[in-house]
Structure formats: C-alpha cells, structure tokens
Amino acid sequence: MSDKKTSNQMWGGRFASGPAAIMEAINASISFDRKLYAQDIRGSIAHSEMLAQTGIISAADQEKIAHGLNTILKEIEAGSLEFSTKLEDIHMNVEARLADLIGPAAGRLHTARSRNDQVAVDLRLWVKDECFRVAEALKGLMTALLERAEEHAATVMPGFTHMQAAQPVTFGHHCMAYVEMFSRDLSRVRDAIERMDESPLGAAALAGTSFPIDRHQTARALGFREPMRNSLDSVSDRDFALEFLAMAAICATHLSRLAEEIIIWSTPQFGFIRLSDSFSTGSSIMPQKKNPDAAELVRGKTGRVNGHLVGLLTVMKGMPLTYGKDMQEDKESVFDAAETLDLMMAAMTGMVADMTVNAAAMKKAAGSGHATATDLADWLVRTLGLPFREAHHVTGRAVALAEDKKVSLEKLSLEDLQSINPGITSDIFSVLAVQNSIKSRTSFGGTAPSEVRKQIRSWKKRLAKA
C-alpha cells in the first residue's frame, strides 16, 4: 500500500490531502460568516474614514478604499463575488478582493486594527440590527393578539390550572396574557440593544494601539452610543450574543406555549378554534385529518433555539481573556437562532390572525367542571359572612351534590343548596351563571370584559408610541 493511500485512510476520505485539508476545513468560517459582509464593509469604511481624519492614511488612499469597498458590496449583493475557504473568513475575502481592485492602498486599511476587534464589531452590528427586526416582529404579533382580544373581549372560555377547568375567563383575556408575555420580550430586546450599544472597534488585537486613532468617531459613524472602555473586554466579550440568545430562548418559549394551546384547542375534543389550510396539512393516509403543523413546528423549533443558548454558554464558560478561536462558534448559533425565531414569530402572527374561533364550544366548556364554584364560595363569604375556609367546605359539599345529581352548580335547586347551608338565598343564582361570573371579575387585570377592554385600549396606545 502506498504512503499516500495510507495517509488518506488515516485522515479520512473527505480530506484527500491529509492534515492541511483538515485544518482548512476546521479553520475556515467563510461558509457562514459571509452573512456579516455588509457589517464588515460598513465597519471598514468607518475605520478608513477615521484613519484619514486622524492623518494616519492619506485622503487619496481612503477614497480608493471606500470606492473599492462599495464595489465589493455591490458584487456580493449581485452574487458575483466568489468566496474562498483558503482565505478563511469574510474579513480576508473582502481584503483580498480590495487588493485586486485598488492595489497597494488596500494594505493600509488594516492599520490600527485586528481581526479580533473587526469580527467583534461585525457581529455586534449584526446582532443589533437583528434586535431591531425582532422588536418589529414582536410588535406585529402583539398587534394581531390585540385584534383578536378586541373581537373576543366577552367570549367566554374556561380558564385552566393543571389542565383542569378552573374558573371561566374570556378568550380576549387569554389573548391579552400573551400580549403581556411578548411585551416583556420586547422590553428584553430593547434592554439588550441598550447594553450592546458600544463599539469594540479600535481595541485592535487586545491591547489597543499606539496609533492616534479616534474610537469615538468610529463609534458614532457606526451608530453606537460610545466605544467600549476596555480593550481586553472589547475583543473577548460575547455577552451581547448570549443575551440575544437568552432573549430568543425566552421568546421562543412563550411562542411554544401559545403553539401548544393552539394544538390543543384545534383538536376535535376541544374544538375551540380552527386553523385554515394555510397553516395546516393533511394526512397521507387518513383523509379526515387536519394537522396543526405550523404550531407543532413552532413548538419543536423552540428546542433548537434553547440549544443554541446552551451551546454558546458552554463555549464561553472556560474562555480566558481574551480571544480564542473557540469564539468562532458564536456565529452559527446566533445566525440560526435569529432565522428560526424570525420564522416562528411570522408563523405565529399568521396563525393568530388566521384562526377561526368557535365561541359556542368555548362557552359550553366554560360551564363544565363546576367552574363557578369559587363564585359560590365568595358569595358565602361576602353575603353570609362565613370564614373562607368554611365557605370552601360548604362549596365542596355543593359540588359533590351536583356531581351526584349529574347537573351543574347553577342547576341545583334552592332547596338543594339550603340543605347544605340554610342561610343561602335565591340571590346565589346571580353568581352561579358563567356570564355573571365573568362580569364580576372587575379587579385590575381581571377577566371582566370591561377590564379587558381597558387593557386593550391601554396597549394600543403603548404600541402606537413604541
């Protein structure tokens, strides 16, 4: 057997040339970090302008550099630039193409800069841009939920604890619960933008530079509030990526909870809602089936987003200051989580806007399971002055009697109820009806339609200003 054949077997069939091919494959990131091309070119133009402004390079060279970079931007967007894995990453691919276009002046661009601060500013810019996109998508989802809540502010449905019917609520109130959840996601993404609004550019490899650069100028040019204050932290920080992934994971979890409810509600056993064909699929063998696949995929993709957070946390947990090649693993996690979350929010916004609500099925279910038992207990406390624990016991006996008679609480006769507590009067029936129970929950944040409509009006005003 030849030495070459032995070498190929040792290193594996995909890597025909041995260790060099393996090193190129594991080291190159151009297959995914090309996504940063716009941010990389934007950062390079800002850096070149600062170099010229401070007299580090000539205005003529800066003009050539800016023209060349803008040409490369157009080539990439047109799909005509061929990337090379031998050049490792987006930074070197752009720099090599710039040298082809403008010659020696291209070599001046990297003055007072390292790939360490370059990649840090590129990714930070990308994540910041994505945060603004997520914020807009969240506002769109909240708007869709507000519209459904307004339509169904008085539509009765069962509220659940432990997946058991607990107390009647309205579908509008249920939708508004998700408005609140997604509003906190919106708050988190805006907080994240505030914290990541600092520029690492100019930190160079790790220690700063001896050139008289102006980091405040490049920070302003790139839309950052200010430069980062420590050069070591500038190149080694990935908190902003972790925070984005944490926000994405929490948001995905909220989306998954709503997706799970949509899946349950659309079953024939519940029949609370119906999804259109746009967000459903059929079965290959059972013609009667209509599967809520979009909701199931939202639920499933949450694990993917959560996994990216855990993955990057694990990468960063043992990283000493400052930069290590391990940090190349940050990008695929962030990119995929962002794309996945964008798709999940678009799908959920579509489902919320598209679903047909079966108000009759919801109302029927709301009356089952003796859902107004708490209203009976509250009436006993409020009207007869019973201690709540005693009222709870009396109500339990009433529920047991209703179950024996196979009727709902409101169908028990006055004589039935007085056999449990003689002080009960016919006024009790004013609270045992589901609709009356709903109307009585007027405490701030309660399910009474009047209160739900107040919250809807409040949120409409807040979103209009957001």
Side-chain angles (χ1 to χ4, degrees), residues 238-258:
R238 292 299 182 271
D239 294 6
F240 67 93
L242 288 168
E243 189 165 12
F244 172 78
L245 290 173
M247 177 279 301
I250 296 171
C251 182
T253 299
H254 289 155
L255 290 165
S256 185
R257 293 184 72 180
L258 181 52

Side-chain angles (χ1 to χ4, degrees), residues 70-354:
N70 282 314
T71 299
I72 294 168
L73 180 63
K74 291 175 184 175
E75 289 177 345
I76 294 173
E77 290 178 342
S80 61
L81 183 63
E82 191 172 328
F83 294 106
S84 169
T85 58
K86 294 185 185 303
L87 293 170
E88 296 183 20
D89 54 35
I90 186 62
H91 324 298
M92 297 305 293
N93 272 267
V94 169
E95 189 171 324
R97 178 57 181 153
L98 185 63
D100 291 341
L101 289 172
I102 68 171
R108 302 189 187 283
L109 173 60
H110 211 54
T111 307
R113 185 178 73 169
S114 163
R115 275 194 291 178
N116 292 358
D117 62 337
Q118 189 177 357
V119 70
V121 77
D122 288 1
L123 185 59
R124 191 174 283 249
L125 282 169
W126 193 95
V127 173
K128 186 180 170 186
D129 290 343
E130 179 61 23
C131 282
F132 284 115
R133 285 191 289 271
V134 170
E136 288 305 307
L138 280 167
K139 286 164 62 178
L141 176 54
M142 291 168 67
T143 298
L145 284 163
L146 281 169
E147 289 173 357
R148 301 325 297 268
E150 191 164 32
E151 291 170 15
H152 296 283
T155 299
V156 179
M157 70 174 290
F160 296 90
T161 61
H162 308 277
M163 272 305 291
Q164 304 292 315
Q167 292 178 304
V169 296
T170 70
F171 185 59
H173 193 52
H174 201 104
C175 289
M176 290 303 293
Y178 283 102
V179 170
E180 295 290 339
M181 288 188 205
F182 292 122
S183 76
R184 292 191 293 274
D185 293 325
L186 181 58
S187 175
R188 271 183 282 273
V189 74
R190 286 177 170 163
D191 287 348
I193 292 170
E194 179 68 18
R195 271 184 291 279
M196 71 177 69
D197 204 16
E198 299 175 342
S199 173
L201 189 59
L206 74 161
T209 178
S210 59
F211 287 96
I213 62 172
D214 186 345
R215 294 190 63 205
H216 289 84
Q217 179 183 330
T218 52
R220 286 192 301 271
L222 293 172
F224 288 110
R225 182 180 64 250
E226 59 188 338
M228 295 180 74
R229 290 172 293 279
N230 183 282
S231 61
L232 300 174
D233 183 46
S234 295
V235 299
S236 63
D237 167 50
R238 292 299 182 271
D239 294 6
F240 67 93
L242 288 168
E243 189 165 12
F244 172 78
L245 290 173
M247 177 279 301
I250 296 171
C251 182
T253 299
H254 289 155
L255 290 165
S256 185
R257 293 184 72 180
L258 181 52
E260 172 69 3
E261 295 204 292
I262 288 172
I263 292 163
I264 292 170
W265 293 341
S266 63
T267 61
Q269 291 79 8
F270 272 73
F272 286 2
I273 65 163
R274 182 176 178 83
L275 294 176
S276 74
D277 292 346
S278 299
F279 294 97
S280 307
T281 64
S283 166
S284 63
I285 190 172
M286 295 169 284
Q288 83 282 9
K289 292 288 294 300
K290 188 170 185 178
N291 301 323
D293 282 12
E296 290 172 357
L297 286 165
V298 167
R299 183 178 62 181
K301 287 179 184 295
T302 299
R304 182 168 171 167
V305 176
N306 293 351
H308 287 314
L309 170 60
V310 174
L312 187 55
L313 283 168
T314 306
V315 168
M316 296 304 297
K317 73 175 183 63
M319 288 289 298
L321 296 180
T322 55
Y323 182 81
K325 198 72 171 186
D326 318 42
M327 291 161 75
Q328 184 168 289
E329 292 298 306
D330 57 3
K331 296 165 200 65
E332 288 178 287
S333 297
V334 169
F335 294 158
D336 187 72
E339 290 175 4
T340 302
L341 185 63
D342 288 347
L343 181 58
M344 291 168 70
M345 286 195 290
M348 185 55 70
T349 303
M351 282 186 283
V352 168
D354 182 76

Side-chain angles (χ1 to χ4, degrees), residues 39-57:
Q39 289 77 20
D40 192 68
I41 290 172
R42 184 179 163 198
S44 290
I45 290 174
H47 184 66
S48 72
E49 288 172 345
M50 180 275 296
L51 292 176
Q53 187 73 27
T54 53
I56 298 171
I57 67 172

